[in-house]
mmCIF file of all heavy atoms in Angstrom:
data_model
loop_
_atom_site.group_PDB
_atom_site.id
_atom_site.type_symbol
_atom_site.label_atom_id
_atom_site.label_comp_id
_atom_site.label_asym_id
_atom_site.label_seq_id
_atom_site.Cartn_x
_atom_site.Cartn_y
_atom_site.Cartn_z
ATOM 1 N N ILE A 204 -5.249 -6.844 26.679
ATOM 2 C CA ILE A 204 -4.883 -8.030 27.432
ATOM 3 C C ILE A 204 -5.958 -8.308 28.470
ATOM 4 O O ILE A 204 -6.293 -7.454 29.307
ATOM 5 C CB ILE A 204 -3.531 -7.865 28.147
ATOM 6 C CG1 ILE A 204 -2.402 -7.638 27.103
ATOM 7 C CG2 ILE A 204 -3.212 -9.052 29.019
ATOM 8 C CD1 ILE A 204 -1.117 -7.214 27.643
ATOM 9 N N ILE A 205 -6.525 -9.525 28.389
ATOM 10 C CA ILE A 205 -7.520 -9.981 29.329
ATOM 11 C C ILE A 205 -7.073 -11.351 29.893
ATOM 12 O O ILE A 205 -6.692 -12.181 29.119
ATOM 13 C CB ILE A 205 -8.907 -10.106 28.721
ATOM 14 C CG1 ILE A 205 -9.405 -8.759 28.245
ATOM 15 C CG2 ILE A 205 -9.934 -10.754 29.699
ATOM 16 C CD1 ILE A 205 -10.724 -8.848 27.467
ATOM 17 N N THR A 206 -7.090 -11.510 31.192
ATOM 18 C CA THR A 206 -6.718 -12.787 31.782
ATOM 19 C C THR A 206 -7.841 -13.274 32.692
ATOM 20 O O THR A 206 -8.539 -12.491 33.324
ATOM 21 C CB THR A 206 -5.408 -12.695 32.600
ATOM 22 O OG1 THR A 206 -5.544 -11.741 33.626
ATOM 23 C CG2 THR A 206 -4.271 -12.301 31.689
ATOM 24 N N ARG A 207 -7.976 -14.566 32.789
ATOM 25 C CA ARG A 207 -8.928 -15.202 33.685
ATOM 26 C C ARG A 207 -8.349 -16.580 34.070
ATOM 27 O O ARG A 207 -7.677 -17.222 33.258
ATOM 28 C CB ARG A 207 -10.309 -15.367 33.017
ATOM 29 C CG ARG A 207 -10.265 -15.831 31.577
ATOM 30 C CD ARG A 207 -11.632 -15.819 30.959
ATOM 31 N NE ARG A 207 -11.586 -15.889 29.502
ATOM 32 C CZ ARG A 207 -12.515 -16.499 28.753
ATOM 33 N NH1 ARG A 207 -13.541 -17.055 29.301
ATOM 34 N NH2 ARG A 207 -12.403 -16.515 27.423
ATOM 35 N N PRO A 208 -8.656 -17.052 35.242
ATOM 36 C CA PRO A 208 -8.133 -18.368 35.644
ATOM 37 C C PRO A 208 -8.768 -19.498 34.935
ATOM 38 O O PRO A 208 -9.972 -19.431 34.607
ATOM 39 C CB PRO A 208 -8.386 -18.388 37.158
ATOM 40 C CG PRO A 208 -9.550 -17.469 37.377
ATOM 41 C CD PRO A 208 -9.428 -16.395 36.310
ATOM 42 N N LEU A 209 -8.011 -20.560 34.649
ATOM 43 C CA LEU A 209 -8.565 -21.793 34.143
ATOM 44 C C LEU A 209 -9.406 -22.462 35.229
ATOM 45 O O LEU A 209 -8.978 -22.514 36.380
ATOM 46 C CB LEU A 209 -7.507 -22.721 33.651
ATOM 47 C CG LEU A 209 -6.730 -22.318 32.368
ATOM 48 C CD1 LEU A 209 -5.748 -23.455 32.053
ATOM 49 C CD2 LEU A 209 -7.710 -22.190 31.167
ATOM 50 N N THR A 210 -10.554 -22.989 34.860
ATOM 51 C CA THR A 210 -11.321 -23.832 35.786
ATOM 52 C C THR A 210 -11.817 -25.038 35.003
ATOM 53 O O THR A 210 -11.706 -25.119 33.771
ATOM 54 C CB THR A 210 -12.586 -23.056 36.323
ATOM 55 O OG1 THR A 210 -13.374 -22.622 35.208
ATOM 56 C CG2 THR A 210 -12.141 -21.777 37.139
ATOM 57 N N GLN A 211 -12.340 -26.016 35.734
ATOM 58 C CA GLN A 211 -12.899 -27.193 35.046
ATOM 59 C C GLN A 211 -13.977 -26.778 34.017
ATOM 60 O O GLN A 211 -14.860 -25.992 34.286
ATOM 61 C CB GLN A 211 -13.519 -28.179 36.069
ATOM 62 C CG GLN A 211 -13.958 -29.475 35.409
ATOM 63 C CD GLN A 211 -14.372 -30.511 36.469
ATOM 64 O OE1 GLN A 211 -13.963 -30.461 37.639
ATOM 65 N NE2 GLN A 211 -15.185 -31.459 36.037
ATOM 66 N N GLY A 212 -13.830 -27.366 32.841
ATOM 67 C CA GLY A 212 -14.697 -26.979 31.727
ATOM 68 C C GLY A 212 -13.898 -26.319 30.633
ATOM 69 O O GLY A 212 -12.645 -26.481 30.535
ATOM 70 N N ILE A 213 -14.556 -25.607 29.738
ATOM 71 C CA ILE A 213 -13.924 -25.042 28.546
ATOM 72 C C ILE A 213 -13.815 -23.512 28.652
ATOM 73 O O ILE A 213 -14.822 -22.857 28.904
ATOM 74 C CB ILE A 213 -14.662 -25.446 27.299
ATOM 75 C CG1 ILE A 213 -14.575 -26.974 27.063
ATOM 76 C CG2 ILE A 213 -14.119 -24.726 26.074
ATOM 77 C CD1 ILE A 213 -15.387 -27.487 25.918
ATOM 78 N N THR A 214 -12.661 -22.994 28.457
ATOM 79 C CA THR A 214 -12.394 -21.566 28.324
ATOM 80 C C THR A 214 -11.959 -21.336 26.879
ATOM 81 O O THR A 214 -11.030 -21.933 26.376
ATOM 82 C CB THR A 214 -11.266 -21.125 29.276
ATOM 83 O OG1 THR A 214 -11.583 -21.460 30.634
ATOM 84 C CG2 THR A 214 -11.097 -19.618 29.217
ATOM 85 N N LYS A 215 -12.654 -20.477 26.148
ATOM 86 C CA LYS A 215 -12.386 -20.366 24.745
ATOM 87 C C LYS A 215 -12.616 -18.926 24.242
ATOM 88 O O LYS A 215 -13.295 -18.142 24.834
ATOM 89 C CB LYS A 215 -13.231 -21.306 23.930
ATOM 90 C CG LYS A 215 -14.682 -20.884 23.680
ATOM 91 C CD LYS A 215 -15.379 -21.841 22.738
ATOM 92 C CE LYS A 215 -16.842 -21.375 22.539
ATOM 93 N NZ LYS A 215 -17.508 -22.176 21.535
ATOM 94 N N ILE A 216 -11.977 -18.649 23.092
ATOM 95 C CA ILE A 216 -12.268 -17.477 22.281
ATOM 96 C C ILE A 216 -12.483 -18.007 20.897
ATOM 97 O O ILE A 216 -12.058 -19.098 20.524
ATOM 98 C CB ILE A 216 -11.147 -16.427 22.344
ATOM 99 C CG1 ILE A 216 -9.825 -17.056 21.787
ATOM 100 C CG2 ILE A 216 -10.988 -15.838 23.688
ATOM 101 C CD1 ILE A 216 -8.756 -16.026 21.541
ATOM 102 N N GLU A 217 -13.198 -17.201 20.077
ATOM 103 C CA GLU A 217 -13.520 -17.670 18.707
ATOM 104 C C GLU A 217 -13.980 -16.510 17.857
ATOM 105 O O GLU A 217 -14.332 -15.445 18.372
ATOM 106 C CB GLU A 217 -14.609 -18.755 18.732
ATOM 107 C CG GLU A 217 -15.956 -18.219 19.214
ATOM 108 C CD GLU A 217 -17.015 -19.318 19.196
ATOM 109 O OE1 GLU A 217 -16.822 -20.358 18.531
ATOM 110 O OE2 GLU A 217 -18.032 -19.113 19.861
ATOM 111 N N SER A 218 -13.966 -16.710 16.615
ATOM 112 C CA SER A 218 -14.546 -15.738 15.659
ATOM 113 C C SER A 218 -15.458 -16.508 14.735
ATOM 114 O O SER A 218 -15.176 -17.583 14.257
ATOM 115 C CB SER A 218 -13.510 -15.036 14.802
ATOM 116 O OG SER A 218 -14.118 -14.199 13.843
ATOM 117 N N LEU A 219 -16.693 -15.888 14.485
ATOM 118 C CA LEU A 219 -17.651 -16.382 13.568
ATOM 119 C C LEU A 219 -17.986 -15.327 12.509
ATOM 120 O O LEU A 219 -19.030 -15.406 11.863
ATOM 121 C CB LEU A 219 -18.928 -16.798 14.315
ATOM 122 C CG LEU A 219 -18.773 -17.923 15.346
ATOM 123 C CD1 LEU A 219 -20.006 -17.988 16.220
ATOM 124 C CD2 LEU A 219 -18.564 -19.245 14.618
ATOM 125 N N ARG A 220 -17.120 -14.357 12.305
ATOM 126 C CA ARG A 220 -17.386 -13.173 11.500
ATOM 127 C C ARG A 220 -16.824 -13.280 10.117
ATOM 128 O O ARG A 220 -16.954 -12.378 9.277
ATOM 129 C CB ARG A 220 -16.843 -11.920 12.213
ATOM 130 C CG ARG A 220 -17.516 -11.669 13.520
ATOM 131 C CD ARG A 220 -16.734 -10.595 14.312
ATOM 132 N NE ARG A 220 -17.416 -10.337 15.583
ATOM 133 C CZ ARG A 220 -18.300 -9.383 15.822
ATOM 134 N NH1 ARG A 220 -18.670 -8.604 14.812
ATOM 135 N NH2 ARG A 220 -18.800 -9.226 17.041
ATOM 136 N N GLY A 221 -16.090 -14.362 9.807
ATOM 137 C CA GLY A 221 -15.466 -14.450 8.485
ATOM 138 C C GLY A 221 -14.048 -13.953 8.490
ATOM 139 O O GLY A 221 -13.344 -14.002 7.487
ATOM 140 N N ALA A 222 -13.619 -13.338 9.584
ATOM 141 C CA ALA A 222 -12.282 -12.812 9.754
ATOM 142 C C ALA A 222 -11.824 -13.061 11.207
ATOM 143 O O ALA A 222 -12.675 -13.323 12.079
ATOM 144 C CB ALA A 222 -12.245 -11.298 9.463
ATOM 145 N N SER A 223 -10.525 -12.982 11.443
ATOM 146 C CA SER A 223 -10.088 -13.214 12.803
ATOM 147 C C SER A 223 -10.671 -12.238 13.748
ATOM 148 O O SER A 223 -10.814 -12.519 14.962
ATOM 149 C CB SER A 223 -8.535 -13.201 12.844
ATOM 150 O OG SER A 223 -7.992 -12.041 12.198
ATOM 151 N N SER A 224 -10.949 -11.014 13.316
ATOM 152 C CA SER A 224 -11.897 -10.028 14.017
ATOM 153 C C SER A 224 -11.187 -9.048 14.931
ATOM 154 O O SER A 224 -10.089 -9.294 15.433
ATOM 155 C CB SER A 224 -12.981 -10.798 14.769
ATOM 156 O OG SER A 224 -12.597 -11.185 16.065
ATOM 157 N N HIS A 225 -11.924 -7.958 15.156
ATOM 158 C CA HIS A 225 -11.528 -6.968 16.186
ATOM 159 C C HIS A 225 -11.764 -7.490 17.576
ATOM 160 O O HIS A 225 -11.001 -7.146 18.515
ATOM 161 C CB HIS A 225 -12.392 -5.716 16.073
ATOM 162 C CG HIS A 225 -12.366 -5.044 14.722
ATOM 163 N ND1 HIS A 225 -11.421 -4.097 14.390
ATOM 164 C CD2 HIS A 225 -13.123 -5.222 13.653
ATOM 165 C CE1 HIS A 225 -11.665 -3.679 13.118
ATOM 166 N NE2 HIS A 225 -12.681 -4.346 12.662
ATOM 167 N N GLN A 226 -12.762 -8.363 17.754
ATOM 168 C CA GLN A 226 -13.197 -8.765 19.070
ATOM 169 C C GLN A 226 -12.228 -9.798 19.733
ATOM 170 O O GLN A 226 -12.055 -9.772 20.894
ATOM 171 C CB GLN A 226 -14.600 -9.374 18.985
ATOM 172 C CG GLN A 226 -15.690 -8.347 18.705
ATOM 173 C CD GLN A 226 -15.673 -7.819 17.280
ATOM 174 O OE1 GLN A 226 -15.121 -8.430 16.353
ATOM 175 N NE2 GLN A 226 -16.313 -6.672 17.055
ATOM 176 N N GLU A 227 -11.697 -10.694 18.858
ATOM 177 C CA GLU A 227 -10.770 -11.704 19.402
ATOM 178 C C GLU A 227 -9.560 -11.820 18.441
ATOM 179 O O GLU A 227 -9.581 -11.263 17.351
ATOM 180 C CB GLU A 227 -11.437 -13.056 19.496
ATOM 181 C CG GLU A 227 -12.735 -13.087 20.299
ATOM 182 C CD GLU A 227 -12.549 -12.750 21.795
ATOM 183 O OE1 GLU A 227 -11.400 -12.689 22.277
ATOM 184 O OE2 GLU A 227 -13.554 -12.634 22.479
#
Side-chain angles (χ1 to χ4, degrees):
I204 298 170
I205 297 173
T206 59
R207 43 184 164 150
L209 289 180
T210 59
Q211 185 173 337
I213 295 175
T214 304
K215 75 172 182 178
I216 58 168
E217 64 180 345
S218 176
L219 297 167
R220 297 169 180 266
S223 50
S224 84
H225 303 272
Q226 290 72 20
E227 306 293 353

